[in-house]
Amino acid sequence: MKKPKIVVIGSSNTDMVVKSDRIPVPGETITGGSFLLAQGGKGANQAVAAARLGAEVLFVTRVGNDMFGREAVEQYQREGIDTSFIEVDATAATGVALILVDAKGENLISVASGANHALYPEQIDRASEAIGQADLVILQLEIPLATVEYAVALCNKLGVPVILDPAPAPRVPLPDSVLKGIATIKPNETEASALTGMPVTDSESAEKSAQFLLDKGAKSVIITLGTQGVFAISACGERAFVPSFSVSAVDSTAAGDCFSAAYAVATVQGHSLSDAIRFAAAAAAISVTRIGAQGSLPTLAEVNEFLTQHSAF
Ligand code: RIB
């Protein structure tokens, strides 16, 4: 099967994770949790996930001139990711995410973006030749929106399809040029609500919200609904509803990143919308059974084994 060439443009963070029975309320201190220091960042998680699933990955990101940044780049190289266009910022620190996880695997994340917010269009330009050779580019929203907009326009010029994972939920409306320029947008229910101004709670409301995004120019919309499953439609009339796999959740961090990367790999390999979603849902389901972001991301063999156990892909 073809080895997909995927470029991920986005954030790199160091995650500091505390898992405890519950997440404290403002002003409260709770004790008894366990701690994990690990690589994260939505862009980085997607790059690592795609590499573990068999893609040839080039990652465009920005780190600080510090220990966290150096460790992150070394880790990406160990994963076989091309780091030629990772740049080290002279003044900003590597991004850091503080993550609290409760007993049900739900999380709460606060990010100090650091160098991620200094990833400007000029850096995208420096990688443009490599971007032009990709089968697909994945973007998220942990870098400046102007850079995302620029990257989408460049990909359109180069004829490279783009998947946008609009996470974290945008605080301002996405420019129409972004929605018109992407092949696929993949929000979760919170992000879909933020993008459309419509509450998204189930497949019916997801369909309305997805139709709104199609009308704005996106060519396909995939809305993940947590344990309820995944709803998708495309401008050429495809529709899919894929139920979620039932697993015992430990930590949902990076499940959305894992889904986007796995969907990207499967779609480049030519799978149908619903088969690619099923593959992505399986990869994401495995990731929620493990603690941490990149530590939770499965290999291709693990996803295939999972799908065999849950009937063939
Ligand atoms: O999507 C999960 C990621 O969000 C974490 O790894 C954290 O770094 C934040 O960016």
Side-chain angles (χ1 to χ4, degrees):
M1 191 162 294
K2 181 177 183 314
K3 198 172 167 85
K5 272 188 167 184
I6 292 180
V7 171
V8 179
I9 302 173
S11 57
S12 175
N13 293 332
T14 300
D15 290 353
M16 298 189 187
V17 186
V18 174
K19 172 142 179 147
S20 25
D21 289 346
R22 63 184 179 82
I23 291 170
V25 296
E28 186 189 21
T29 302
I30 58 170
T31 59
S34 56
F35 176 69
L36 174 76
L37 182 71
Q39 302 302 338
K42 295 183 193 302
N45 298 342
Q46 293 175 6
V48 170
R52 288 192 190 159
L53 294 172
E56 196 180 310
V57 179
L58 179 129
F59 183 30
V60 181
T61 192
R62 196 163 186 91
V63 295
N65 185 12
D66 49 35
M67 188 185 73
F68 288 156
R70 283 186 284 279
E71 281 178 1
V73 176
E74 281 167 18
Q75 177 58 26
Y76 306 145
Q77 287 166 346
R78 282 194 289 272
E79 297 284 351
I81 292 169
D82 184 342
T83 58
S84 317
F85 294 96
I86 296 183
E87 294 188 10
V88 178
D89 198 278
T91 51
T94 299
V96 169
L98 298 184
I99 305 182
L100 300 179
V101 182
D102 70 12
K104 291 189 209 133
E106 299 291 344
N107 65 29
L108 181 152
I109 306 180
S110 185
V111 177
S113 299
N116 296 305
H117 272 186
L119 201 173
Y120 295 124
E122 301 77 62
Q123 189 174 338
I124 308 299
D125 272 340
R126 289 189 278 277
S128 64
E129 203 180 319
I131 293 171
Q133 288 163 20
D135 293 312
L136 190 141
V137 165
I138 317 179
L139 287 157
Q140 335 70 37
L141 299 178
E142 278 189 329
I143 58 173
L145 187 53
T147 306
V148 171
E149 200 175 355
Y150 187 84
V152 170
L154 177 72
C155 290
N156 288 174
K157 207 163 81 189
L158 297 169
V160 180
V162 177
I163 293 179
L164 175 66
D165 184 340
R171 291 195 207 147
V172 293
L174 281 183
D176 284 355
S177 64
V178 168
L179 286 169
K180 286 197 178 93
I182 55 178
T184 303
I185 188 162
K186 190 240 78 180
N188 65 17
E189 59 270 65
T190 312
E191 293 145 7
S193 298
L195 287 166
T196 62
M198 305 172 183
V200 177
T201 52
D202 51 21
S203 56
E204 217 168 273
S205 50
E207 176 158 9
K208 284 193 193 124
S209 176
Q211 190 57 54
F212 176 95
L213 294 167
L214 281 189
D215 293 344
K216 285 262 179 193
K219 288 163 203 69
S220 64
V221 182
I222 299 172
I223 301 184
T224 55
L225 297 163
T227 55
Q228 293 184 71
V230 182
F231 176 81
I233 45 174
S234 76
C236 56
E238 290 168 297
R239 287 173 73 83
F241 180 78
V242 176
S244 66
F245 293 98
S246 168
V247 290
S248 177
V250 171
D251 179 6
S252 61
T253 308
D257 304 329
C258 184
F259 183 100
S260 298
Y263 176 80
V265 169
T267 200
V268 170
Q269 288 174 329
H271 292 288
S272 68
L273 182 69
S274 56
D275 282 353
I277 289 174
R278 189 170 153 75
F279 179 78
I286 296 171
S287 79
V288 305
T289 64
R290 302 168 179 167
I291 186 82
Q294 285 165 35
S296 74
L297 303 170
T299 61
L300 181 59
E302 288 173 325
V303 179
N304 285 339
E305 169 66 20
F306 182 96
L307 283 165
T308 306
Q309 282 166 9
H310 295 79
S311 90
F313 174 46

